[in-house]
Amino acid sequence: MAEAVDGCVRHGLEAIGLWRQEVAAQGLDETVALVGNAGLRVSSLCRGGFLTSPDFEADNRLAVDEAAALGAACLVMVVGGLPGVVPGEPLGEISRDLPAARARVAEALAVLAPYAAERGVRLALEPLHPVYCADRAVLSTLGQALDLAAPYAPETVGVVIDTFHVWWDPQVFEQIARAGAEGRIASYQVCDFLSPLPADVLLGRGMMGDGVIDFGSLTGAVTAAGYAGDVEVEIFNADVWAADPDDVVSTMKARYVSLIEGA
Amino acid sequence: MAEAVDGCVRHGLEAIGLWRQEVAAQGLDETVALVGNAGLRVSSLCRGGFLTSPDFEADNRLAVDEAAALGAACLVMVVGGLPGVVPGEPLGEISRDLPAARARVAEALAVLAPYAAERGVRLALEPLHPVYCADRAVLSTLGQALDLAAPYAPETVGVVIDTFHVWWDPQVFEQIARAGAEGRIASYQVCDFLSPLPADVLLGRGMMGDGVIDFGSLTGAVTAAGYAGDVEVEIFNADVWAADPDDVVSTMKARYVSLIEGA
């Protein structure tokens, strides 16, 4: 955490997206102090969710509390896959009822949204690429996320637009416009979709420009939809993780300038 | 080919879906004779497509001719990915303009549909799971396939509903109903979506019951939509391919009876 915060400061990045396990490892109070002293905005806390599990409630309330303490712009919600499916593990007893799993997400949101509203935390529903529908998120499209958010105030429930997850969607441009019109874009995240995918699809993300995504059109649509918040670069990639952090940030900044900024 | 045809006959299967490279290896005339003498229906010929390539035309006309000669119920069209992307190979010069690639598919279809109509061949547009959007098919949803088919007579351009590709789609039930109402269901294909996926996502298909798909609800929707044609079992899976063919067919029949038939 200290290294990441320091890297942001040295490279002139004004905001950082935090992951809960790193916050826990550092300690919540110490993290609040670290990012506060560094003058960084917390663009998001990642992640709450897995709402399709029966025991979703306690940990998500805790995640909301942490997001409030950190002053995070939103709490990213990865809603979970089919009940019983554990990412990376062989199938045991599972439910194959996808509409029911989606209904459970809506029910869980009804429990959590009032709690988030009380604490001034914005829940950000993240549609994940359909390749993760079984094991990580039954929320597969931006349109679906916006339908799910509709009953709540935009400042309480928004959506995450992550290029990796939405680039393929035939309805993506109209749904980005809709997300903007409804005031629900809580975060814009960028990373590329690699082709061919590596053996572990979870790590199939790449530095912008290394894959197949047209960042100009998607970023232009998000900007045209009125989003003026932080842009988060989120790359799950074994090579990126193994590389020198300063090199990664330098490359990221260069790619950001050439592919994202001004689009 | 001879072994596959013989296996169908011995196991009481009434129809077979053929792949073009196997037909070519056996010889077209000889294949026509083999399936004819065996009394099998050809449920589909797989595959035409890759319409996003500039040189799509000659090979697709040939595929139409082959489908006509075989009396195939349809010619499955896998429409191709982003121009320049080659499945399994590192990215070279590619186009990242996805809307343009999708427009090229529509233009190519306008060239091929009249040719198919003249020869009495039904083109069957197959939406592929979005994980293949970059390298195999920019056609990602059933709704998109139906929109693309709309300008043509249903007997000339239909759609394939493959459980592996569509199971995650929040709109799948309404689009299956629409496909039926529009008379466009050319083939119903079943196989399961494995979780976790194997290293090569192309081979992430499993025998029905081995993955996460609820075959009852999808099959029920296809049946309710009026489809009464052959159901094709199509499984890309290294273990299935390596197993004894008679065992595979026996398992397939048992799973078909328990999971598909009567749904």
Side-chain angles (χ1 to χ4, degrees):
Chain A
M1 182 66 76
E3 186 185 359
V5 167
D6 175 63
C8 287
V9 172
R10 284 187 295 103
H11 287 273
L13 307 180
E14 298 173 13
I16 188 168
L18 300 176
W19 276 67
R20 290 183 67 205
Q21 64 265 39
E22 308 299 334
V23 172
Q26 185 74 31
L28 179 61
D29 292 345
E30 214 173 312
T31 304
V32 169
L34 263 175
V35 297
N37 292 337
L40 295 176
R41 295 185 295 275
V42 177
S43 49
S44 69
L45 178 65
C46 204
R47 56 184 162 56
F50 283 76
L51 306 178
T52 52
S53 296
D55 59 346
F56 73 89
E57 200 170 330
D59 188 59
N60 275 288
R61 289 185 189 270
L62 193 60
V64 168
D65 294 342
E66 292 166 13
L70 290 159
C74 61
L75 173 64
V76 174
M77 302 293 281
V78 173
V79 304
L82 291 169
V85 176
V86 181
E89 293 189 17
L91 296 178
E93 277 298 302
I94 68 165
S95 165
R96 291 178 174 81
D97 189 340
L98 181 54
R102 287 170 168 161
R104 279 171 74 158
V105 171
E107 289 161 17
L109 195 59
V111 172
L112 294 173
Y115 187 79
E118 278 170 29
R119 277 144 192 82
V121 169
R122 189 182 205 187
L123 304 177
L125 300 171
E126 181 163 19
L128 258 55
H129 192 289
V131 76
Y132 305 121
C133 185
D135 59 355
R136 286 189 172 82
V138 293
L139 191 51
S140 306
T141 67
L142 186 50
Q144 204 188 351
L146 290 167
D147 290 346
L148 197 55
Y152 307 98
E155 62 271 20
T156 301
V157 182
V159 297
V160 180
I161 299 174
D162 182 319
T163 54
F164 179 90
H165 294 307
V166 304
W167 73 278
W168 60 272
D169 186 349
Q171 299 174 357
V172 70
F173 294 110
E174 70 191 74
Q175 294 300 333
I176 289 174
R178 176 188 166 198
E182 297 179 357
R184 295 208 189 260
I185 306 179
S187 175
Y188 178 48
Q189 299 186 338
V190 295
C191 78
D192 218 330
F193 188 99
L194 298 179
S195 178
L197 285 169
D200 182 349
V201 294
L202 185 67
L203 308 183
R205 307 192 186 200
M207 189 62 76
M208 300 81 76
D210 288 349
V212 299
I213 293 177
D214 177 26
F215 289 97
S217 63
L218 289 169
T219 305
V222 169
T223 304
Y227 182 71
D230 291 314
V231 179
E232 301 188 289
V233 179
E234 183 188 61
I235 305 178
F236 296 10
N237 179 304
D239 295 333
V240 169
W241 288 339
D244 176 78
D246 282 306
D247 290 346
V248 170
V249 176
S250 296
T251 302
M252 183 270 278
K253 286 177 68 176
R255 300 290 181 88
Y256 183 87
V257 169
S258 65
L259 293 169
I260 311 289
E261 199 174 55
Chain B
M1 183 66 75
E3 186 184 358
V5 167
D6 175 62
C8 288
V9 172
R10 284 188 296 106
H11 287 274
L13 306 179
E14 299 172 12
I16 186 167
L18 300 177
W19 276 68
R20 289 184 68 206
Q21 63 266 37
E22 307 300 335
V23 172
Q26 185 73 32
L28 179 61
D29 293 345
E30 213 174 314
T31 304
V32 169
L34 263 175
V35 296
N37 292 337
L40 295 176
R41 296 184 296 274
V42 177
S43 50
S44 70
L45 179 64
C46 203
R47 57 182 161 61
F50 283 77
L51 306 178
T52 53
S53 298
D55 59 347
F56 74 89
E57 202 173 328
D59 188 59
N60 275 287
R61 288 185 189 270
L62 194 59
V64 168
D65 295 342
E66 293 166 13
L70 290 160
C74 62
L75 173 63
V76 174
M77 302 294 281
V78 174
V79 304
L82 292 169
V85 176
V86 181
E89 293 189 16
L91 295 178
E93 277 297 303
I94 67 164
S95 165
R96 290 178 175 80
D97 190 340
L98 181 55
R102 287 170 167 161
R104 279 172 73 159
V105 172
E107 289 160 17
L109 195 59
V111 172
L112 294 173
Y115 187 78
E118 279 170 27
R119 276 145 194 82
V121 169
R122 189 181 205 185
L123 303 177
L125 300 171
E126 181 163 19
L128 257 56
H129 193 288
V131 76
Y132 305 121
C133 184
D135 60 355
R136 287 190 172 80
V138 293
L139 191 52
S140 306
T141 66
L142 186 52
Q144 205 188 350
L146 290 168
D147 289 347
L148 197 56
Y152 307 99
E155 61 271 23
T156 301
V157 183
V159 297
V160 180
I161 299 173
D162 183 319
T163 54
F164 180 91
H165 294 308
V166 305
W167 73 277
W168 59 272
D169 185 350
Q171 298 173 358
V172 69
F173 293 109
E174 71 191 72
Q175 295 299 334
I176 288 174
R178 176 187 165 200
E182 297 179 357
R184 294 206 189 264
I185 306 179
S187 175
Y188 178 48
Q189 300 186 338
V190 296
C191 77
D192 218 330
F193 188 98
L194 298 179
S195 179
L197 284 169
D200 182 348
V201 293
L202 184 66
L203 307 185
R205 307 191 186 201
M207 189 63 76
M208 299 82 76
D210 288 350
V212 300
I213 294 177
D214 177 26
F215 289 96
S217 62
L218 289 169
T219 304
V222 169
T223 302
Y227 183 70
D230 290 315
V231 179
E232 300 188 290
V233 179
E234 185 188 59
I235 306 176
F236 296 9
N237 179 304
D239 295 333
V240 169
W241 288 338
D244 176 77
D246 282 304
D247 289 347
V248 170
V249 177
S250 296
T251 303
M252 184 268 277
K253 286 176 67 175
R255 298 291 180 87
Y256 183 87
V257 168
S258 65
L259 293 170
I260 312 289
E261 200 173 54

